[in-house]
Amino acid sequence: MRTSLAAAVLLTASCGGQGVGGAPAPEALPLPVMTLVGHKVAVFPVTLVAVGPSLGLGEEELGNREARLRRADSLVATTLLDLVPEVDWVLPEALRAAARRSPGMIGDPDRMGTAVLRNAQLETVPFPLVSEMRNLVGIVGERYALVPAAVGFEPDSVAAVRARVSVVLPDLRGGAIRWRSVVTGTGSDPWEALAEALAALAVPFE
């Protein structure tokens, strides 16, 4: 079952030219920084890291599920703070702290199911996820959220590992997904590949 899930996630992120149901696959686009300058943007935690079974990597090399998610979060945060300092990022730990302060009223961002947003056909955040996200972002941010919806690792023909990251930017006032990208990177290990993929989000703008 886990092998099938990993394969499905990697296929969704990597299908060349087509997305789910035959829709065009998202392009590798840099963040729309000029749209976000002056806003507090909530960065949701990574909730899905899929490792292609042919890589032969398990917990010994990558850690358990919790460790993988936290390391991915850390790389996302480092990339945004170092390469996109123009935006006021509200990082996952701040979201978790806000949820802990309002138990029963605000959902846990690690359990909101944001990985569903990797579906390239989605143009809006589905209900009830949009309400859960809006309630949390209303406390710590404004209208925009950055969601690393899925991280996938697979073998690469040149480097050892290729990382693919599906990222979306919903406007939670109405729930519309304003921007979507799938960025890729390669490296000698998964984390080096992920760092390279995330750096593609910060291409300098004019």
Side-chain angles (χ1 to χ4, degrees), residues 2-120:
R2 290 182 180 177
T3 298
S4 298
L5 174 60
V9 171
L10 290 169
L11 178 62
T12 299
S14 64
C15 47
Q18 283 196 327
V20 177
E27 297 180 66
L29 301 172
L31 281 163
V33 176
M34 295 305 295
T35 299
L36 303 178
V37 170
H39 291 280
K40 286 186 176 182
V41 180
V43 182
F44 276 72
V46 177
T47 61
L48 177 58
V49 174
V51 183
S54 57
L55 276 176
L57 301 177
E59 289 194 2
E60 183 175 346
E61 296 85 6
L62 296 173
N64 61 21
R65 179 179 181 274
E66 184 72 14
R68 297 177 197 186
L69 294 176
R70 291 296 181 268
R71 187 158 185 181
D73 279 347
S74 177
L75 284 171
V76 171
T78 297
T79 299
L80 295 176
L81 293 176
D82 288 353
L83 302 183
V84 196
E86 304 92 340
V87 180
D88 187 359
W89 302 108
V90 182
L91 299 177
E93 194 49 49
L95 273 63
R96 295 184 184 107
R100 288 194 296 268
R101 288 194 297 268
S102 304
M105 298 179 61
I106 302 297
D108 181 349
D110 291 297
R111 299 180 180 277
M112 284 188 180
T114 51
V116 70
L117 299 179
R118 71 188 185 278
N119 186 329

Side-chain angles (χ1 to χ4, degrees), residues 125-185:
V125 181
F127 183 85
L129 177 59
V130 65
S131 296
E132 296 174 339
M133 293 178 69
R134 184 186 297 125
N135 289 342
L136 179 53
V137 170
I139 295 176
V140 300
E142 296 173 11
R143 59 190 290 184
Y144 293 112
L146 186 71
V147 185
V151 174
F153 297 123
E154 61 188 352
D156 182 73
S157 59
V158 178
V161 184
R162 176 176 295 272
R164 297 182 185 270
V165 189
S166 175
V167 192
V168 300
L169 182 78
D171 181 344
L172 294 172
R173 285 185 180 175
I177 295 175
R178 298 299 186 188
W179 169 90
R180 178 186 293 278
S181 182
V182 174
V183 291
T184 64

